[in-house]
Amino acid sequence: MPADGGTLLRLTEAGFREIGWEAVQLEAHYRSHCAGWDRHLPNLAAYAAGLVRS
């Protein structure tokens, strides 16, 4: 979605509770995914720019 001269990306990851994990597993996977998005999301703009062909 265009936003302030750039693109706004809204990411929603869902379905963890539906897997049926115990609370400890659920929390561990949630933390792991948050850390992963924090690590990889900043690279997304450069990756997407490389996909655009002029």
Side-chain angles (χ1 to χ4, degrees), residues 1-2 4 8-9 15-16 20 22 25 28 31 33 35 37-38 40 42 44 47 49 51 53-54:
M1 153 185 336
D4 296 326
L8 172 65
L9 171 68
F16 287 102
E22 296 293 324
Q25 289 175 297
R31 283 193 312 269
H33 280 238
W37 285 118
D38 287 346
H40 295 291
L44 184 60
Y47 174 77
L51 296 177
R53 297 179 188 198
S54 306

Side-chain angles (χ1 to χ4, degrees), residues 19-43:
I19 293 173
W21 289 327
E22 296 293 324
V24 172
Q25 289 175 297
L26 181 64
E27 181 65 25
H29 279 81
Y30 173 80
R31 283 193 312 269
S32 173
H33 280 238
C34 286
W37 285 118
D38 287 346
R39 180 175 177 197
H40 295 291
L41 198 55
N43 301 320

